[in-house]
Amino acid sequence: MLFLLTGGNYMMFGGGVQGGKLVGEYPNDLTDDGPLMLSRGRAIPEISWDAIFLALGTWMGVKDSQVDSVCPNCYQFLPSHFMNPADLFGELPPPEPTATPTSSEPTDSPSFSPSHSPSKSFAPSSIPSVGKTEKPTLRPSLMPSLQPSKRPIEPCVDDKKYTSKVKIDGSTVRKTCKKMKLKKKKNRELFCNLVDKVTKEPVHKSCKAGCKACN
């Protein structure tokens, strides 16, 4: 199995691997004008290494509680960015076993430490649990929450399909985020706050990384 990451490739061998596959897409344009190309022959990867190693870690038995230690940057990507381990490996380890539930009735107040024999609950409790997570999890919960979750963190990247249409010194300028050369401070000051005639929004809304406009 070969992973095409644009900026570099990974090859995976083994009896548990569903081999004979190419994962990812090879770039169509490797010239300096290509949308994924930087200077001196460097390329921007379209697939993060987190997407591969999370699937690999799941196959090796990494638990949900250990994901942040194995792939600490996973929270910066949407769940759709990651690969399904079942598509890459023949057999997956069984899920983490849980304690056998009892038939006791749920209590009115939360406990401050996990019990060895949790009660069986068929509806969400009226009082939220004490602890809360700092980062959103990658796998969906099995029970509905009583409070809406926070807005997911959007990736801080430039829109590769965006081409500006702004006025500079009376002339209409059309440039991609890359062509604006926003690494230079003077170019950021020139372009980032200009309002695009098409999107009706400032350029930094589409060139977030280049304009350093990430939340």
Side-chain angles (χ1 to χ4, degrees), residues 167-184:
K167 278 280 188 180
I168 299 179
D169 296 333
S171 301
T172 300
V173 178
R174 298 175 181 268
K175 286 181 179 288
T176 63
C177 298
K178 179 183 176 182
K179 293 293 185 180
M180 294 180 198
K181 299 181 179 179
L182 297 172
K183 291 182 179 181
K184 297 181 179 180

Side-chain angles (χ1 to χ4, degrees), residues 10-151:
Y10 295 154
M11 298 185 70
M12 187 179 295
F13 302 90
V17 177
Q18 295 188 27
K21 295 181 179 180
L22 294 176
V23 181
E25 296 181 2
Y26 199 78
N28 295 325
D29 189 351
L30 294 177
T31 66
D32 291 340
D33 294 327
L36 299 177
M37 301 304 295
L38 300 174
S39 61
R40 297 180 292 175
R42 295 174 298 166
I44 302 173
E46 289 188 288
I47 301 176
S48 68
W49 65 263
D50 303 82
I52 298 172
F53 280 94
L54 180 61
L56 180 60
T58 301
W59 177 67
M60 296 181 68
V62 173
K63 302 175 183 177
D64 289 352
S65 58
Q66 300 170 324
V67 168
D68 286 343
S69 299
V70 177
C71 297
N73 293 319
C74 281
Y75 72 95
Q76 298 192 42
F77 301 95
L78 298 175
S80 58
H81 176 74
F82 297 93
M83 299 179 182
N84 186 350
D87 295 336
L88 307 180
F89 304 100
E91 295 184 4
L92 297 177
E96 183 179 359
T98 58
T100 303
T102 63
S103 58
S104 60
E105 294 295 327
T107 58
D108 294 330
S109 58
S111 59
F112 291 89
S113 59
S115 61
H116 295 289
S117 299
S119 60
K120 182 185 295 182
S121 176
F122 297 97
S125 61
S126 59
I127 302 176
S129 57
V130 177
K132 64 179 182 178
T133 57
E134 295 291 335
K135 302 173 183 178
T137 57
L138 296 175
R139 297 181 175 91
S141 59
L142 299 178
M143 295 295 292
S145 61
L146 298 177
Q147 296 179 350
S149 58
K150 295 181 179 179
R151 182 181 178 182

